[in-house]
Amino acid sequence: MLFVNRDIVEKELLMKNCIDLMRKTLIEYSRREAIQVLRTAMKIGEKKILGVMPSALTSRQVAGAKIITVFPSNYQKGLPSHQGVVVLFETETGSLKAVVDGEAITGIRTAAVSAVATDALAREDAHILCVMGSGLQARRHLEAISLVRKITEVRVWDIDKAAAALYAKKMQAKYGIPVYDCGGDPERAVSGADIICTVTAARQPVLFSRYVSLGAHINAVGACAAADRELDTELVRRARFFGDSIESVTRESGDFIIPLKEGAIGEGHLLGEVGQILSGELPGRAAPEEITVFEALGLAVEDLAAANYIACRVEAKQTKGGEQ
Ligand SMILES: NC(=O)c1ccc[n+]([C@@H]2O[C@H](COP(=O)([O-])OP(=O)(O)OC[C@H]3O[C@@H](n4cnc5c(N)ncnc54)[C@H](O)[C@@H]3O)[C@@H](O)[C@H]2O)c1
């Protein structure tokens, strides 16, 4: 049995390769070739959750679960919001194959999935990226989105102005792209942006329809519970709306469920899954001026595919090392 720590995950799961892996996994999931049940999110205190996310990938003969704590206020203590492991079993004998750090996997695979959705839905000429939130996902999203579109300008907004300023400074130095801190003004950050990633711990809307320009693509990532949302009702109503999983969006996404309950949209407003666009089953963007939304709840199969990919690479290296 392997134990794979965070450093090894970061070394083995390169963003570029993870984007390809997530593309394949989302198609498999949408073809229902993967097995997944909805996550259990057990409350263990005020805004503190222990999540269990089980799935199986028959094509790769693995099953398992991510077990993760989600403590959204941890950013105030300089700690990660998601901490845990992915436990991986092989399905021939049911033996435990690996335990892989779940914090790093969550960070990388979530941004990789947004990149896949961006590639499928954003305009080809999209080049201005707006990031709402400036934590781990904000950092990973800049890395991932830059791999699918030629980003020439980044804007950042966060409720914590100092965190946004630091993000702008560090990311500009790291990627050599101008990164503008919008001084606490979300409209200034969003207006004219081609790609907007909402990666905040907010529970009420931070992205309002009036900020968003025609032709924008939005990755809505931060709100993952039925009572929480980052997008206002009017934006959801205006947009062509897709998700990672129909089941997850209709059960877990406040961005979708709240406008539905308000009567602003119908069930059919959710057009389908990004995996269906990737496999050619559904059309994606139909016109340059459309606003598209990708609603990401985060899927257990994404974690399992990533953990298996890493475990296979580590095993292969160990075997090779043993032969020498
Ligand atoms: N959909 C998925 O697959 C998925 C996966 C991982 C994380 N997430 C979610 O994405 C969000 C960001 O994750 P992270 O790991 O970057 O967390 P993080 O703790 O590193 O960063 C959170 C950021 O949100 C900001 N923030 C907090 N409250 C806010 C508010 N009310 N308005 C605006 N900004 C606010 C913080 O200042 C911080 O910059 C979290 O809500 C997390 O649960 C989703």
Side-chain angles (χ1 to χ4, degrees):
M1 196 275 290
L2 281 174
F3 184 82
V4 184
N5 68 24
R6 185 172 60 181
D7 291 346
I8 298 175
V9 172
E10 287 179 350
K11 199 168 137 222
E12 297 297 335
L13 189 63
L14 299 182
M15 187 62 82
K16 183 174 148 293
N17 298 340
C18 191
I19 291 172
D20 293 339
L21 182 68
M22 291 302 117
R23 198 175 274 123
K24 183 177 161 208
T25 305
L26 289 170
I27 293 174
E28 232 172 298
Y29 173 74
S30 288
R31 287 187 174 146
R32 303 297 176 252
E33 291 166 7
I35 302 166
Q36 182 181 283
V37 291
L38 274 182
R39 73 185 121 210
T40 305
M42 187 177 83
K43 280 194 182 158
I44 50 176
E46 183 60 26
K47 294 190 190 172
K48 291 178 179 174
I49 283 170
L50 177 72
V52 182
M53 301 169 67
S55 68
L57 284 162
T58 41
S59 67
R60 284 162 251 186
Q61 285 106 41
V62 284
K66 180 163 80 173
I67 306 170
I68 197 138
T69 54
V70 184
F71 282 36
S73 306
N74 267 4
Y75 72 93
Q76 291 159 348
K77 300 174 189 154
L79 291 171
S81 58
H82 293 59
Q83 301 169 85
V85 290
V86 182
V87 184
L88 194 67
F89 300 87
E90 53 88 0
T91 53
E92 180 71 28
T93 60
S95 301
L96 183 59
K97 185 173 167 174
V99 177
V100 186
D101 180 85
E103 179 195 328
I105 285 187
T106 305
I108 300 164
R109 68 76 158 146
T110 306
V113 166
S114 290
V116 169
T118 302
D119 202 22
L121 285 166
R123 295 189 333 266
E124 282 298 329
D125 64 349
H127 63 285
I128 302 177
L129 170 67
C130 169
V131 183
M132 304 187 84
S134 61
L136 172 68
Q137 284 303 332
R139 296 192 293 277
R140 286 296 191 184
H141 272 69
L142 171 49
E143 177 190 0
I145 303 297
S146 300
L147 291 170
V148 295
R149 287 295 181 274
K150 179 139 189 50
I151 300 301
T152 57
E153 179 182 331
V154 181
R155 293 102 168 262
V156 60
W157 169 83
D158 196 293
I159 199 162
D160 179 339
K161 288 185 196 170
L166 191 62
Y167 176 95
K169 196 173 155 204
K170 283 192 171 175
M171 294 297 105
Q172 179 158 317
K174 185 167 182 183
Y175 294 100
I177 308 172
V179 181
Y180 299 108
D181 157 31
C182 292
D185 180 349
E187 186 161 6
R188 223 177 97 207
V190 171
S191 177
D194 303 311
I195 300 164
I196 304 156
C197 301
T198 59
V199 283
T200 75
R203 309 184 79 185
Q204 301 297 329
V206 291
L207 182 58
F208 291 86
S209 179
R210 63 181 182 276
Y211 302 165
V212 178
S213 303
L214 286 175
H217 169 69
I218 297 148
N219 296 306
V221 176
C224 303
D228 299 346
R229 61 174 171 166
E230 292 177 298
L231 316 185
D232 79 337
T233 294
E234 178 54 14
L235 176 57
V236 172
R237 194 198 60 72
R238 258 173 98 197
R240 296 192 71 231
F241 197 91
F242 298 91
D244 49 6
S245 151
I246 291 170
E247 185 183 31
S248 302
V249 172
T250 53
R251 299 281 294 277
E252 297 175 340
S253 166
D255 284 326
F256 181 74
I257 293 168
I258 296 168
L260 186 71
K261 281 191 180 151
E262 290 170 352
I265 56 169
E267 294 276 0
H269 193 72
L270 174 58
L271 296 172
E273 296 170 351
V274 157
Q276 294 174 287
I277 301 174
L278 297 171
S279 68
E281 191 188 327
L282 278 182
R285 170 178 292 276
E289 66 279 8
E290 274 178 0
I291 294 171
T292 50
V293 169
F294 169 61
E295 182 68 37
L297 277 309
L299 306 181
V301 288
E302 298 162 1
D303 298 308
L304 193 67
N308 185 49
Y309 171 88
I310 296 159
C312 290
R313 282 178 65 90
V314 174
E315 268 171 3
K317 281 185 183 170
Q318 285 182 350
T319 310
K320 218 172 150 193
E323 281 167 3
Q324 283 164 359

